[in-house]
């Protein structure tokens, strides 16, 4: 409850602090199952990511991934590996880095028959960004397109906003400028219909760079002011 209250104030650092207390309390309680400990770690990693503490988020996720793997819980494993696939302004990997272990996990999970379509879309979208650096960018774009198609079919605005964001990052190169513009416009068409404020801000920040390069200054200023 304390973490939820902190999130309502966009206080991700406080939310993460509260969840660290929860994780520690669960780990001390012998009556708590592994599944509950995994769930708490996934929530903690999400808030650490939102607070910009990527290193800490990765460390917590490694614990969650290890626990889910040992438990054989494919659904929780997919949730843990897809945390970084949430809406973001830029790639969560250092320049030029491809985490091949994570790519392998996401590949495997995207083909699992134990996942629902929503989880599969999240997994594919995360894979799309993970493959941005390196020699398999085209495969990443294909995974991102598939994720968007699933989200469109499900008709879930939040999921569609997320996967459109994934695909935008996966094809971040000049030859895809118009395609990325179309993706962000599709995302912004969801404003007022379930798209989160966070996803709207990020979509507009992605679009402003394209508008500025095109010299469309009025639209640039409008997006920037709305984002602010």
């Amino acid at each position: 409850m304390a973490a939820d209250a902190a999130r309502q104030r966009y206080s991700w650092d406080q939310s993460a602090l509260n969840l660290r207390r929860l994780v520690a309390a669960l780990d001390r309680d012998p009556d708590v199952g592994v599944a509950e400990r995994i769930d708490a770690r996934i929530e903690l990693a999400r808030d650490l990511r939102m607070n910009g503490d990527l290193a800490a988020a990765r460390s917590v996720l490694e614990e969650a991934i290890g626990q889910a793997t040992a438990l054989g819980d494919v659904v929780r494993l997919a949730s843990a590996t897809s945390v970084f696939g949430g809406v973001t302004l830029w790639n969560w990997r250092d320049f030029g880095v491809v985490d091949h272990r994570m790519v392998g996990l996401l590949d495997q999970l995207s083909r699992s028959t134990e996942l629902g379509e929503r989880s599969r879309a999240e997994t594919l979208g995360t894979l799309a960004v993970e493959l941005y650096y390196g020699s398999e960018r085209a495969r990443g774009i294909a995974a991102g397109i598939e994720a968007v198609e699933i989200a469109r079919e499900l008709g879930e605005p939040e999921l569609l906003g997320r996967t459109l964001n994934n695909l935008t990052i996966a094809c971040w190169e000049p030859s895809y400028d118009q395609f990325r513009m179309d993706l962000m416009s599709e995302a912004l068409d969801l404003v007022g219909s379930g798209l989160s404020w966070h996803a709207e801000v990020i979509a507009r920040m992605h679009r402003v760079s394209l508008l500025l390069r095109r010299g469309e200054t009025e639209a640039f200023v409008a997006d920037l002011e709305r984002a602010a």
Side-chain angles (χ1 to χ4, degrees), residues 19 22-24 26-27 34-48 57 59-65 67 83:
L19 287 170
L22 173 62
V23 168
L26 294 177
D27 286 347
V34 177
E36 191 173 350
R37 299 177 195 214
I38 296 169
D39 291 342
R41 282 173 166 81
I42 291 171
E43 286 300 309
L44 171 57
R46 287 196 180 111
D47 285 354
L48 287 168
S59 177
V60 172
L61 283 176
E62 281 300 316
E63 295 176 1
I65 288 170
Q67 291 172 334
V83 164

Side-chain angles (χ1 to χ4, degrees), residues 2 58 202:
R58 288 191 186 107
I202 298 299

